[in-house]
Amino acid sequence: MRKFIFFFSVILLASCVKHDDFAITGTVVDYEICNGISEMGYAIEISSPDSIGGDYTTRTGDNYHNVVVVYGADRILKENAYINARIYWDKNYSKTTCSRHYTDRDVPEAVFTKID
């Protein structure tokens, strides 16, 4: 019985993961398909905070700096949309969650917790 209670407690604790999210503002510059059209990653050129992203080249060949690809939007975000949001880092999101993983870029990955 003790083993069962311990195992059950570990499962409950693992399911209550609290992420350290933070606020960002920025502009959507591109998108990436994760699992079809229903789940996308959005390349966002971050205006605040500065220096958290990387260099990114869009599908049309435009270059941007301080870009983060963010997943888990609760709505479709359009190119050139200015957003205020909260995100948390997940450096392996596309590798572990998406059916398509982009290897030709070196920008951080994150997940939305809130979009205004």
Side-chain angles (χ1 to χ4, degrees):
M1 184 68 171
R2 281 186 183 165
K3 287 182 183 180
F4 175 75
I5 291 172
F6 175 75
F7 179 73
F8 187 69
S9 299
V10 169
I11 289 174
L12 283 176
L13 289 174
S15 67
C16 298
V17 176
K18 174 83 171 120
H19 299 285
D20 290 328
D21 65 347
F22 57 95
I24 63 162
T25 57
T27 304
V28 178
V29 296
D30 203 6
Y31 68 88
E32 297 180 355
I33 295 172
C34 177
N35 290 316
I37 195 95
S38 63
E39 189 175 352
M40 309 288 276
Y42 293 96
I44 301 172
E45 185 176 39
I46 307 295
S47 53
S48 176
D50 62 359
S51 303
I52 65 169
D55 294 333
Y56 186 90
T57 303
T58 66
R59 290 170 282 115
T60 58
D62 296 322
N63 293 310
Y64 292 92
H65 307 287
N66 201 31
V67 173
V68 175
V69 175
V70 189
Y71 297 89
D74 60 358
R75 65 194 85 158
I76 294 174
L77 302 176
K78 296 186 179 186
E79 208 168 321
N80 297 317
Y82 184 79
I83 64 166
N84 292 303
R86 294 192 67 80
I87 64 172
Y88 66 89
W89 297 121
D90 188 338
K91 66 180 182 174
N92 292 315
Y93 186 90
S94 66
K95 194 181 291 185
T96 60
T97 306
C98 299
S99 60
R100 190 164 185 188
H101 175 62
Y102 297 83
T103 57
D104 60 342
R105 60 171 172 73
D106 188 27
V107 295
E109 295 183 358
V111 178
F112 287 110
T113 57
K114 181 181 179 185
I115 303 172
D116 291 331

